[in-house]
C-alpha cells in the first residue's frame, strides 16, 4: 500500500491551480502533486474533465472505484477537485481569487480562450506578479498554426516521429507507425514540468518574479527525438524505418526464442564476442565482416539469420540467464501482465495502491523518482468530480457557508460534493 499523508515532499507549501484537462496538462500537475504541491483541479460542473469518460473502467468488484476511468486515474492522483463554471463571471472571479493564492497555474485551453475570461497570463500577472503560468497547446501561442486544435496522432505525424517509426516499406506491414501510447502528451508534460520548476526557482531568487511558459506539443515532440532531427540538420540525412532494429548497432533488435521473444542490444566488440560464445558461434566473432559495429551493420543481412537460428532453439528464460551472465544486454519482450509480474518491477514498487475515501482501494502507477530526503508520497487517490469544492473554497478563500450556498444556487460552483461530505444545504 502506498504511503498517504506522510512527511512533506520537495514542493510542500507550493499551490498549483490546475485549469488543464485530458492528458498533457494533468500529467504535469500530477507530477507536482507527487512532489508535495497542493494541486487544485478546476472542472466543469456536472461534466468534469473529458478524461473521466476515456479509457477503461475497473472491474466492479468490492472496494473498486467504478466511477473513475483509466484515462482520468492515470494523471489525476494527489489533487483536489472543485467544480467551477469558468464561462460565468462569478466563476471567473473565483478563479482569479484562487490564482492570487497560487504559485503555479497550468492550462491547456486553445490559444486566446482564457483572455476572454480575464484569466490569461497578462491579466493574472497584474494581480499576482509571482505567478508561474504555463500554457500547453498543440502549436503554441504564436505562429500560423496557433489556433488549430490537435491531438497526439497529429503531432506524431507532423514531428517526423512516424516517419522514423515502423517497418521498411518493402516488408509486409511496413510503413509509418504510431507509437503505442500518447507520447506527444507525455513528452510535453515532462518538458512543462522542467520549465515550471526552473521558473519557480527563478521566481524565488532575489528580485525574481513569475513568468509565462509557452509550450507546444509539436515543439516538444520534435525536440525529444534528439538524434533523428540532428542527423537531418547536420548531414541532411532522412531516417529509414527498420522496425525494432537499430540503424547504428547490430545486433540490436528482437529475436524469436522457443517460447517467446527476447531483445538483444549489442553495442561493442566484447558484447558481440560473448553473444557468439553463448550461442556456440565463436567463428562469427573472428569473422572480419563482423569485426566492428559499423561492419556488423553493413552485413546485417548475413549476420542476423545465423543468430536468429541459434536463438530460436532456446527458451526465453534460459537465453536471458545465459546472456545476462555473459554481460550481454538483453531482456524479454513483455506484455503488461509480465511487466508487473517482473521481480525488478515489483522490487521498485511500480504498482502502488491508494485508499479512496469513498470507494476503497485503487491501484496506481508509481512515480519513478526516488528521492533520498523528500520521497514521493501518494497523498490522495484520483478525486471524484467536485469532491473538494467546499473544502478548497473555505480553506483557500475563506468563503463562508452563506457565500458558498449563494455560489451553488447560481451554479457558479457545482454541488457534486453535497451528498458525499457537505452538510450545508443550498438556500
Amino acid at each position: 500500500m502506498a504511503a498517504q499523508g506522510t512527511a512533506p515532499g520537495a514542493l510542500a507549501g507550493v499551490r498549483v491551480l490546475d485549469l488543464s484537462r485530458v492528458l498533457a496538462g494533468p500529467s504535469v500537475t500530477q507530477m507536482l502533486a507527487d512532489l508535495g504541491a497542493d494541486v487544485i483541479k478546476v472542472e466543469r460542473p456536472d461534466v468534469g474533465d473529458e478524461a473521466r469518460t476515456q479509457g477503461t473502467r475497473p472491474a466492479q468488484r468490492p472496494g473498486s472505484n467504478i466511477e473513475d476511468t483509466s484515462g482520468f486515474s492515470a494523471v489525476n492522483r494527489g489533487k483536489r477537485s472543485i467544480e467551477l463554471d469558468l464561462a460565468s463571471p462569478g466563476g471567473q472571479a473565483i478563479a482569479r481569487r484562487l490564482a492570487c493564492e497560487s504559485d503555479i497555474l497550468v492550462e491547456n485551453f486553445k490559444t486566446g480562450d482564457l483572455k476572454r475570461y480575464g484569466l490569461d497570463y497578462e491579466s493574472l500577472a497584474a494581480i499576482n506578479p509571482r505567478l508561474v503560468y504555463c500554457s500547453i497547446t498543440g502549436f503554441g501561442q504564436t505562429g500560423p498554426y496557433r489556433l488549430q486544435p490537435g491531438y497526439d496522432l497529429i503531432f506524431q505525424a507532423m514531428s517526423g516521429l512516424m516517419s522514423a517509426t515502423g517497418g521498411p516499406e518493402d516488408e509486409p506491414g511496413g510503413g509509418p507507425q504510431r507509437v503505442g501510447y500518447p507520447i506527444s502528451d507525455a513528452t510535453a508534460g515532462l518538458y512543462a514540468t522542467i520549465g515550471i520548476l526552473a521558473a519557480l526557482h527563478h521566481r524565488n531568487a532575489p528580485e525574481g518574479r513569475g513568468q509565462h511558459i509557452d509550450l507546444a506539443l509539436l515543439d516538444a515532440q520534435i525536440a525529444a527525438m534528439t538524434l533523428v532531427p540532428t542527423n537531418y540538420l547536420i548531414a541532411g540525412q532522412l531516417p529509414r524505418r527498420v522496425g525494432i532494429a537499430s540503424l547504428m548497432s547490430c545486433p540490436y533488435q528482437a529475436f524469436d526464442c522457443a517460447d517467446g521473444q527476447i531483445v538483444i542490444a549489442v553495442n561493442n566488440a566484447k558484447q558481440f564476442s560473448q553473444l557468439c560464445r553463448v550461442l556456440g558461434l565463436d567463428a562469427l566473432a573472428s569473422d572480419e565482416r563482423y569485426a566492428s559495429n559499423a561492419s556488423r551493420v553493413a552485413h546485417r543481412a548475413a549476420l542476423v539469420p545465423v543468430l536468429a537460428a541459434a536463438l530460436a532453439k532456446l527458451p526465453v528464460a534460459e537465453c536471458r540467464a545465459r546472456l545476462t551472465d555473459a554481460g550481454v544486454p538483453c531482456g524479454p519482450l513483455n506484455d503488461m501482465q509480465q511487466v508487473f509480474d517482473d521481480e525488478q518491477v515489483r522490487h521498485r514498487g511500480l504498482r502502488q495502491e491508494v485508499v479512496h475515501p469513498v470507494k476503497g482501494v485503487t491501484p496506481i502507477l508509481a512515480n519513478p523518482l526516488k528521492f533520498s530526503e523528500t520521497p514521493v508520497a501518494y497523498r490522495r487517490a484520483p478525486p471524484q468530480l467536485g469532491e473538494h469544492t467546499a473544502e478548497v473554497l473555505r480553506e483557500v478563500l475563506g468563503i463562508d457557508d452563506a457565500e458558498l450556498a449563494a455560489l451553488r444556487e447560481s451554479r457558479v460552483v457545482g454541488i457534486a460534493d453535497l451528498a458525499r461530505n457537505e452538510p450545508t444545504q443550498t438556500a
Side-chain angles (χ1 to χ4, degrees):
M1 185 72 66
Q4 291 182 283
T6 59
L11 294 182
V14 172
R15 178 171 293 129
V16 181
L17 184 59
D18 183 4
L19 303 186
S20 68
R21 61 237 189 255
V22 189
L23 185 52
S27 73
V28 177
T29 52
Q30 176 172 273
M31 177 67 79
L32 300 175
D34 283 353
L35 299 181
D38 175 23
V39 178
I40 300 170
K41 181 177 180 67
V42 174
E43 302 191 64
R44 289 181 296 168
D46 303 323
V47 177
D49 188 330
E50 297 96 306
R52 288 187 180 273
T53 65
Q54 297 173 352
T56 58
R57 296 184 184 276
Q60 296 190 20
R61 61 186 184 276
S64 70
N65 187 345
I66 61 174
E67 184 176 287
D68 294 341
T69 62
S70 58
F72 181 82
S73 296
V75 289
N76 284 289
R77 66 170 174 258
K79 306 176 187 181
R80 297 196 284 178
S81 169
I82 69 170
E83 293 180 283
L84 186 62
D85 182 8
L86 294 180
S88 71
Q92 294 157 19
I94 293 293
R96 280 190 286 273
R97 291 171 64 183
L98 288 170
C100 282
E101 302 298 327
S102 298
D103 301 283
I104 298 164
L105 185 150
V106 179
E107 61 93 5
N108 61 355
F109 281 72
K110 292 179 183 177
T111 298
D113 275 8
L114 288 181
K115 189 174 183 64
R116 296 179 296 150
Y117 299 156
L119 297 173
D120 56 304
Y121 173 68
E122 289 75 14
S123 299
L124 296 182
I127 57 176
N128 181 4
R130 289 178 58 77
L131 184 66
V132 173
Y133 188 116
C134 182
S135 297
I136 303 173
T137 55
F139 297 99
Q141 302 295 304
T142 62
Y145 301 161
R146 66 188 183 280
L147 299 180
Q148 294 183 17
Y151 291 98
D152 171 68
L153 179 63
I154 307 301
F155 306 115
Q156 287 203 36
M158 292 184 67
S159 68
L161 176 60
M162 287 173 60
S163 76
T165 306
E169 293 283 358
D170 57 356
E171 291 186 1
Q177 292 289 329
R178 180 180 72 88
V179 175
Y181 71 100
I183 188 173
S184 299
D185 292 273
T187 297
L190 292 174
Y191 275 112
T193 304
I194 293 167
I196 287 168
L197 295 177
L200 194 65
H201 178 75
H202 167 77
R203 188 205 73 173
N204 292 337
E207 300 183 5
R209 58 173 289 145
Q211 61 182 300
H212 185 214
I213 301 167
D214 169 12
L215 184 80
L217 269 74
L218 179 61
D219 298 357
Q221 189 54 65
I222 294 171
M225 293 168 64
T226 57
L227 288 176
V228 176
T230 303
N231 284 343
Y232 171 74
L233 291 174
I234 290 177
Q237 180 180 330
L238 293 173
R240 290 191 297 111
R241 289 184 299 277
V242 291
I244 296 177
S246 168
L247 288 170
M248 298 183 292
S249 300
C250 183
Y252 197 101
Q253 64 186 77
F255 291 92
D256 288 331
C257 289
D259 59 351
Q261 288 185 296
I262 194 168
V263 293
I264 295 173
V266 166
N267 261 319
N268 57 52
K270 180 179 180 181
Q271 291 170 356
F272 180 66
S273 176
Q274 289 293 86
L275 171 66
C276 294
R277 181 184 63 77
V278 167
L279 298 180
L281 300 172
D282 298 87
L284 291 182
S286 58
D287 191 317
E288 284 299 316
R289 293 176 298 170
Y290 313 131
S292 69
N293 187 60
S295 62
R296 289 193 296 275
V297 170
H299 295 94
R300 182 197 309 272
L303 173 61
V304 168
V306 179
L307 298 175
L311 289 162
K313 301 173 184 176
L314 298 172
V316 170
E318 179 185 347
C319 182
R320 182 186 181 192
R322 291 172 60 182
L323 291 176
T324 299
D325 287 345
V328 179
C330 65
L333 207 161
N334 288 335
D335 60 26
M336 278 296 112
Q337 179 177 338
Q338 292 168 325
V339 168
F340 288 102
D341 287 343
D342 186 278
E343 61 181 350
Q344 178 69 16
V345 174
R346 292 200 308 271
H347 174 83
R348 298 289 289 180
L350 270 296
R351 183 192 191 277
Q352 295 287 335
E353 293 178 337
V354 292
V355 177
H356 192 283
V358 176
K359 308 228 174 184
V361 173
T362 299
I364 60 171
L365 182 64
N367 191 305
L369 293 171
K370 309 291 185 187
F371 290 89
S372 63
E373 299 298 325
T374 55
V376 170
Y378 308 103
R379 296 169 176 81
R380 299 177 187 270
Q384 295 178 286
L385 176 60
E387 179 180 344
H388 307 95
T389 300
E391 173 185 302
V392 166
L393 296 184
R394 286 173 173 150
E395 173 191 316
V396 179
L397 301 183
I399 287 177
D400 60 22
D401 288 353
E403 185 179 358
L404 181 59
L407 290 170
R408 282 172 166 158
E409 182 69 22
S410 63
R411 300 298 291 167
V412 168
V413 301
I415 60 173
D417 63 327
L418 274 174
R420 285 193 295 273
N421 54 19
E422 180 52 37
T424 303
Q425 299 298 314
T426 56

